[in-house]
Amino acid sequence: MSVTNRVLISFMEEMKIPKEISEKISSLQKNIEDFIQKVMSELGFANQEVSVFFCDNPYIKELNKTYRNIDNATDVLSFENGDEYEDEEGKWKCAGDIVISFETLLENSIYFDENKDDEFKRLLVHGLLHLNGMDHGEEHIEKGVEPECEMLKIQENILQKFKDEKIIL
């Protein structure tokens, strides 16, 4: 039997999504799940469940303030879980939740001069690395600056490996 993982994806109901993306929401969800499955496999996740929630800046700002005492919106937050459960398909570990601000994702793509697809992948990989127990301390990806910490180096290597994967078609 092959090792599998579970990916649950949801979008904030009231969130404004650009028309070119909202028209493709079902294929977008499938592409996100496929990409996450590949990255989870690359990172050694086995029989784990991850949820990804896309929201707006006010929502993620409130989470950031509540859980990190930072009163600003951010691009991605990860919440490790670690609970386990069993069902008819086997034993599962809840790796945790990834919350991504769709607004900040779009802002980042402009700031980093990246296409939306590459920024999408960066935030998903970043969230998964946090759920895999990694941290980058105070260092963040900066435009034109090579990362120094191990987590961000791994992130960039994974992104390079999956550079041809597409999420937004």
Side-chain angles (χ1 to χ4, degrees):
M1 180 173 114
S2 66
V3 174
T4 59
N5 293 293
R6 291 182 174 166
V7 179
L8 310 169
I9 299 165
S10 57
F11 292 82
M12 183 178 186
E13 285 186 32
E14 310 85 39
M15 184 175 60
K16 293 178 184 153
I17 300 173
K19 187 176 180 182
E20 74 270 11
I21 294 172
S22 66
E23 291 175 342
K24 305 174 187 176
I25 205 77
S26 61
S27 63
L28 178 66
Q29 285 183 287
K30 172 81 171 96
N31 295 342
I32 292 168
E33 181 178 346
D34 290 348
F35 178 75
I36 291 173
Q37 289 283 5
K38 290 173 184 174
V39 174
M40 287 176 79
S41 179
E42 178 74 16
L43 293 172
F45 283 73
N47 288 75
Q48 294 192 47
E49 181 179 281
V50 169
S51 75
V52 182
F53 180 69
F54 293 92
C55 64
D56 59 16
N57 277 351
Y59 187 87
I60 206 163
K61 178 181 177 180
E62 187 60 36
L63 290 176
N64 209 18
K65 184 177 179 182
T66 300
Y67 294 100
R68 298 178 64 222
N69 293 316
I70 298 173
D71 194 15
N72 292 314
T74 189
D75 48 9
V76 59
L77 293 172
S78 298
F79 300 93
E80 291 182 66
N81 185 315
D83 290 345
E84 293 186 359
Y85 68 95
E86 196 166 338
D87 65 14
E88 63 279 349
E89 295 179 8
K91 197 176 218 174
W92 298 91
K93 177 182 176 188
C94 296
D97 305 313
I98 299 171
V99 181
I100 294 176
S101 168
F102 211 85
E103 287 179 79
T104 305
L105 183 156
L106 298 173
E107 292 165 5
N108 283 357
S109 70
I110 294 167
Y111 172 78
F112 289 111
D113 196 25
E114 289 283 355
N115 65 51
K116 293 174 190 133
D117 210 56
D118 289 342
E119 184 60 16
F120 227 123
K121 293 185 291 189
R122 186 182 73 79
L123 296 181
L124 291 168
V125 169
H126 192 87
L128 286 168
L129 288 170
H130 277 305
L131 294 184
N132 207 23
M134 301 194 85
D135 195 1
H136 52 84
E138 297 298 316
E139 184 179 355
H140 296 278
I141 292 291
E142 293 181 46
K143 191 175 183 176
V145 177
E146 283 293 316
E148 293 182 15
C149 78
E150 191 64 21
M151 177 186 166
L152 297 179
K153 287 179 183 178
I154 291 170
Q155 172 183 296
E156 296 307 301
N157 289 337
I158 290 172
L159 290 171
Q160 185 61 34
K161 180 172 184 163
F162 293 107
K163 68 180 182 206
D164 295 328
E165 296 289 322
K166 299 294 180 215
I167 294 176
I168 304 171
L169 300 177

